[in-house]
């Protein structure tokens, strides 16, 4: 199995707080890898590191064997044409129609004629079921539709790697089902490599080939969905089953109760 | 000792943000010019920041000209010098009020809009998504807006002064009865092209650059929350207004101060 993206001994901190401490990940070509973990542990940060928007303090991130953090800005921009990212908010350009949003990367990076671009855009929109919404503005779309439109834009240039930032967050069950089906179908049809960052356990277990669970700055569990379900780590089990208290405590660290309510002991 | 640390921290923050502002400017203007791609974007921005500011500029210019004629007339008529109303109105507008008032209006009307727009683009991850699509937001978003500001504001200031002179004419000549011939001819003989008109335009170019730079940087550097964007928008108007008034003094001293 060939690795499209390799992360070795990554350490990253922001404003003095360590986010990741010596993490290693492998993203296998043609597979869907899920990165899971509780909110607030910097899953989105991981995607930004993979896309070269942030630089790690130490460690190495390689895309097709080439180190991302030591690339020049020009080289990085060239490499980014092979990857794309679906942002949590969709990040559609609000001043353009859905059609122009999806045509945008094609107009920027290819020399295709407008007629060819039209064919491509409508094909991509058809793939996500929004051909009829081509002339709408992003503000007129529902949350689920906006995310599908953003997905069409993300696959416009036929990238090799696509990164999904919380694709299911805040979606109703139907949109969620549609997105799960889409991600799966795109992966199979286009031979894409996908990285899905999420905390929606059930959805991920159905689409991921391999799962990493991050917590407390480390990878606390990894494996296929089956291996993860069988994991004996209490932290992994707490996360999968959604228990309120456990290794990830319910209470944010604070002074002892007596100290707060009764004054000095 | 805490206050000393606070002073130090805010000094470091200020210097840091000057550095980031400079880097942003360099990234936006020092780049291989992409005329075919960027010209339509710049024209669209000129429409947004320039053409859409026209109404407020014309109305303000008209009223400022009218008020100056009214005030000037009541003073000048006491010395029997109401014939000098034309040059008074024209010189004040061309040298000072045109550039400065236009700049203040421009900061409030266009500067705040630029900051809010770019700040929201940042908050909704549009800037990040441009970057991930291998499109440099500095060239795609920042550069066209910067050029649009620098191109449109001097034109707005010229329109402001012209409308103001007409406003002065309406009040001074049509209403208060100053002789139209002396209003225009004394104005023509006392306004100097280089000293008054060109210097005024130089001022507006400097103001335009500073306001647009501050506005864009504040948006680009905003903390991407509703609170952060509101703070950035306020700072744009406050900082650019203060910068305009301060720079106006320096420029006036350089241009007219020492004969």
């Amino acid at each position: 199995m060939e690795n499209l993206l390799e992360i070795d001994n990554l350490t990253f901190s922001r404003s003095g707080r360590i986010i990741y401490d010596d993490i290693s990940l492998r993203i296998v070509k043609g597979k869907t890898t899920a990165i899971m973990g509780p909110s607030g542990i910097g899953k989105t940060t991981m995607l930004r590191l993979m896309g070269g928007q942030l630089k790690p303090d130490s460690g190495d991130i390689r895309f097709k064997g080439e180190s991302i953090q030591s690339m020049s800005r020009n080289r990085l921009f060239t490499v980014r044409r092979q990857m794309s990212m679906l942002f949590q908010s969709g990040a559609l350009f609000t001043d353009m129609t859905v059609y122009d949003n999806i045509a945008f990367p094609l107009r920027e990076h290819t020399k295709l004629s407008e007629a060819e671009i039209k064919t491509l855009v409508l094909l991509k929109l058809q793939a996500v079921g929004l051909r009829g919404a081509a002339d709408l503005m992003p503000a007129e779309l529902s949350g689920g539709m906006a995310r599908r439109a953003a997905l069409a834009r993300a696959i416009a240039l036929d990238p090799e790697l696509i990164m999904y930032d919380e694709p299911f967050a805040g979606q109703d069950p139907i949109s969620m089902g549609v997105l799960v089906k889409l991600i799966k179908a795109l992966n199979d049809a286009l031979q894409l490599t996908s990285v899905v960052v999420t905390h929606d356990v059930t959805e991920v277990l159905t689409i991921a080939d391999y799962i990493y669970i991050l917590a407390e700055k480390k990878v606390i569990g990894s494996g296929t969905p089956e291996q993860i379900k069988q994991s004996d780590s209490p932290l992994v089990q707490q996360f999968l089953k959604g228990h309120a208290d456990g290794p990830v405590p319910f209470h944010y660290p604070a002074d002892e109760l007596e100290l707060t309510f009764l004054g000095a002991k | 000792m805490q206050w000393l640390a606070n002073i130090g921290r805010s000094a470091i923050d200020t210097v840091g943000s000057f550095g980031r502002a400079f880097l942003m400017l360099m990234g936006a203007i020092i780049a291989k010019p992409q005329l075919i791609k960027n010209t339509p974007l710049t024209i669209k921005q000129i429409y947004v920041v320039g053409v859409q500011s026209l109404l407020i500029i014309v109305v303000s210019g008209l009223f400022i000209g009218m008020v100056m004629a009214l005030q000037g007339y009541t003073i000048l008529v006491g010395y029997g010098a109401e014939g000098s109303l034309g040059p008074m109105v024209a010189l004040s507008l061309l040298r000072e009020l045109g550039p400065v008032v236009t700049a203040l209006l421009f900061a409030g009307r266009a500067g705040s809009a630029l900051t809010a727009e770019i700040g929201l683009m940042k908050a909704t991850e549009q800037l990040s998504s441009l970057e991930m699509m291998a499109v440099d937001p500095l060239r795609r978003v920042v550069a066209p807006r910067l050029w649009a500001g620098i191109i449109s504001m001097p034109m707005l200031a010229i329109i402001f002064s012209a409308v103001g002179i007409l406003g002065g004419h309406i009040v001074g000549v049509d209403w208060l009865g100053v002789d139209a011939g002396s209003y225009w001819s004394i104005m023509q003989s006392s306004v100097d092209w280089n000293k008054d008109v060109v210097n005024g335009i130089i001022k507006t170019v400097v103001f335009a650059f500073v306001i647009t730079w501050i506005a864009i940087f504040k948006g680009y550097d905003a903390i991407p929350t509703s609170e952060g964007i509101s703070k950035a928008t306020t700072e744009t108007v406050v900082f650019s207004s203060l910068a305009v008034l301060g720079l106006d003094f320096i420029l006036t001293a350089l241009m007219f101060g020492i004969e």
Side-chain angles (χ1 to χ4, degrees):
Chain A
M1 287 202 290
E2 197 186 335
N3 293 328
L4 188 65
L5 198 80
E6 297 168 318
I7 298 181
D8 280 322
N9 309 107
L10 167 79
T11 301
F12 180 76
S13 60
R14 193 156 43 191
S15 36
R17 198 167 67 96
I18 295 172
I19 313 267
Y20 299 125
D21 184 14
D22 199 18
I23 280 186
S24 298
L25 302 175
R26 294 280 177 277
I27 309 294
V28 179
K29 197 168 180 180
K31 301 282 182 195
T32 302
T33 307
I35 298 175
M36 305 177 72
S39 308
I41 54 131
K43 297 190 292 293
T44 307
T45 310
M46 179 58 83
L47 293 185
R48 292 189 190 272
L49 284 160
M50 288 177 178
Q53 288 193 312
L54 296 171
K55 284 199 192 308
D57 298 344
S58 68
D60 201 14
I61 304 174
R62 290 183 305 276
F63 181 77
K64 291 184 175 175
E66 195 180 349
S67 170
I68 285 184
Q69 69 269 29
S70 47
M71 283 176 192
S72 69
R73 197 173 162 82
N74 276 339
R75 179 69 193 143
L76 184 61
F77 272 49
T78 317
V79 167
R80 277 189 190 153
R81 293 181 200 183
Q82 301 164 40
M83 41 170 95
S84 88
M85 177 129 110
L86 182 68
F87 287 85
Q88 195 172 347
S89 59
L92 292 169
F93 303 126
T94 40
D95 57 341
M96 302 178 187
T97 62
V98 169
Y99 178 93
D100 288 325
N101 260 288
I102 291 146
F104 181 85
L106 297 166
R107 286 178 182 147
E108 283 291 320
H109 292 311
T110 66
K111 292 194 162 56
L112 298 175
S113 68
E114 274 302 310
E116 288 165 318
I117 286 179
K118 185 173 181 193
T119 314
L120 274 174
V121 170
L122 292 179
L123 278 173
K124 304 287 175 190
L125 277 172
Q126 174 70 18
V128 298
L130 290 181
R131 190 163 45 88
D135 295 326
L136 297 182
M137 296 303 282
E140 298 170 285
L141 302 178
S142 73
M145 285 162 81
R147 219 162 284 187
R148 276 147 71 189
L151 183 56
R153 187 178 67 178
I155 56 169
L157 284 172
D158 293 322
E160 288 182 49
L161 172 69
I162 176 159
M163 297 180 268
Y164 300 89
D165 186 4
E166 299 279 6
F168 313 117
Q171 299 292 319
D172 64 74
I174 300 175
S175 317
M176 197 117 111
V178 169
L179 283 165
V180 169
K181 183 173 155 274
L182 269 178
I183 293 176
K184 215 169 178 163
L186 288 174
N187 229 48
D188 297 343
L190 304 175
Q191 308 285 301
L192 286 172
T193 309
S194 310
V195 180
V196 184
V197 153
T198 181
H199 50 235
D200 292 284
V201 176
T202 32
E203 283 69 31
V204 156
L205 292 177
T206 63
I207 57 168
D209 297 306
Y210 201 81
I211 297 174
Y212 287 96
I213 300 186
L214 302 182
E216 298 175 333
K217 304 159 195 154
K218 298 270 191 196
V219 177
I220 57 158
S222 67
T224 60
E226 278 313 308
Q227 289 168 333
I228 288 283
K229 278 184 212 162
Q230 249 103 74
S231 165
D232 48 12
S233 152
L235 205 53
V236 171
Q237 289 304 327
Q238 188 200 353
F239 184 73
L240 290 185
K241 303 212 169 98
H243 297 310
D245 211 351
V248 177
F250 170 70
H251 289 287
Y252 191 84
D255 289 338
E256 278 175 57
L257 269 180
E258 291 86 347
L259 208 63
T260 309
F261 293 110
L262 302 173
K265 265 189 279 193
Chain B
M1 285 317 276
Q2 189 60 41
W3 61 272
L4 197 64
N6 287 343
I7 293 176
R9 182 181 309 281
S10 66
I12 290 172
D13 287 350
T14 311
V15 173
S17 69
F18 270 109
R20 289 197 302 280
F22 187 73
L23 284 179
M24 184 202 78
L25 184 69
M26 290 298 112
I29 58 176
I30 300 187
K32 203 168 50 186
Q34 296 168 303
L35 283 181
I36 299 163
K37 250 179 212 166
N38 275 346
T39 311
L41 290 173
T42 309
I43 290 172
K44 187 181 164 206
Q45 289 306 319
I46 289 179
Y47 177 76
V48 174
V49 300
V51 179
Q52 294 192 345
S53 307
L54 255 181
L55 184 66
I56 184 175
I57 292 294
V58 168
V59 172
S60 315
L62 189 68
F63 279 110
I64 295 252
M66 282 161 60
V67 166
M68 277 208 314
L70 205 53
Q71 289 279 13
Y73 180 84
T74 54
I75 295 168
L76 290 175
V77 79
Y79 303 96
E82 68 270 22
S84 305
L85 191 65
M88 193 212 90
V89 170
L91 287 178
S92 334
L93 279 169
L94 287 170
R95 286 184 181 184
E96 287 299 332
L97 289 173
V100 173
V101 177
T102 307
L104 295 178
L105 291 170
F106 188 78
R109 161 68 182 74
S112 58
L114 281 176
T115 306
E117 188 192 14
I118 296 181
L120 274 171
M121 286 176 93
K122 187 178 179 186
T124 54
E125 296 176 315
Q126 293 182 48
L127 294 183
S128 270
S129 95
L130 274 175
E131 247 182 57
M132 284 308 297
M133 277 190 262
V135 176
D136 190 344
L138 287 179
R139 292 188 206 171
R140 171 87 201 184
V141 174
V142 170
R145 285 168 174 76
L146 191 67
W147 289 118
I150 295 173
I151 293 168
S152 2
M153 213 205 88
M155 295 201 228
L156 290 174
I158 292 169
I159 293 169
F160 183 95
S161 297
V163 173
I165 290 169
L166 290 179
H169 186 275
I170 292 172
V171 169
V173 177
D174 300 337
W175 180 24
L176 298 172
V178 173
D179 179 51
S182 65
Y183 186 84
W184 292 116
S185 66
I186 303 180
M187 186 193 298
Q188 278 174 19
S189 62
S190 51
V191 172
D192 182 71
W193 172 257
N194 281 326
K195 191 161 160 254
D196 301 317
V197 181
V198 173
N199 274 342
I201 293 174
I202 292 173
K203 274 187 180 179
T204 59
V205 174
V206 174
F207 296 162
F209 173 75
V210 170
I211 293 170
T212 323
W213 186 17
I214 292 177
I216 291 170
F217 174 69
K218 282 288 164 195
Y220 195 72
D221 203 49
I223 301 160
T225 59
S226 36
E227 199 189 1
I229 292 167
S230 109
K231 184 164 166 266
T233 314
T234 311
E235 282 180 353
T236 291
V237 178
V238 172
F239 290 175
S240 47
S241 304
L242 290 178
V244 163
L245 296 172
L247 278 170
D248 183 50
F249 177 75
I250 296 173
L251 287 172
T252 307
L254 288 174
M255 288 166 175
F256 306 101
I258 306 132
E259 291 292 322

